[in-house]
Amino acid sequence: MMNLSPIEIGGHTFLSVSVELPKTNLLVVTNDKGYIMCGALDVALLNEKLKDRKVIAGRAVGVKTIEQLIDAPLESVTYEAENLGIKKGMTGRDALLKMI
């Protein structure tokens, strides 16, 4: 099953995406500038092989719901996210607000 729904954070609307897969869930909260995602995100791939795309993204691990993703500290972030002031350990919520 897949669920797409708007979510408001700090007065700004983002899109939440959750996909139920066998033995795991894929979770993303995004806007037109960047996104945070569950542990399925490969930050190293984005930073190294896809560096020219300048993807703004952060990864949280051990989350099972969109709410947990928003509240969890980010385990890793892309170089482009760091350029916006998004840091490892920052909550998903705070990182998203930096993407406004």
Side-chain angles (χ1 to χ4, degrees):
M1 173 185 243
M2 185 166 86
N3 182 23
L4 300 168
S5 59
I7 185 169
E8 188 172 312
I9 300 171
H12 302 278
T13 302
F14 294 84
L15 178 64
S16 71
V17 181
S18 60
V19 181
E20 294 178 20
L21 301 169
K23 301 182 184 178
T24 193
N25 292 328
L26 179 64
L27 305 168
V28 181
V29 178
T30 187
N31 68 1
D32 61 346
K33 195 168 191 177
Y35 58 92
I36 60 171
M37 190 171 167
C38 65
L41 179 65
D42 188 344
V43 171
L45 174 77
L46 296 175
N47 280 339
E48 296 164 17
K49 301 208 184 249
L50 303 177
K51 185 177 182 178
D52 61 318
R53 296 185 188 185
K54 299 183 179 193
V55 175
I56 298 168
R59 174 182 185 224
V61 295
V63 296
K64 296 181 180 178
T65 67
I66 292 293
E67 293 76 22
Q68 288 176 354
L69 176 60
I70 292 167
D71 292 332
L74 297 179
E75 177 267 343
S76 55
V77 300
T78 62
Y79 298 142
E80 291 300 316
E82 287 178 343
N83 289 339
L84 284 181
I86 299 168
K87 305 288 182 203
K88 179 180 172 180
M90 177 181 282
T91 66
R93 178 182 315 277
D94 290 341
L96 289 166
L97 291 173
K98 293 243 183 217
M99 295 178 199
I100 300 301

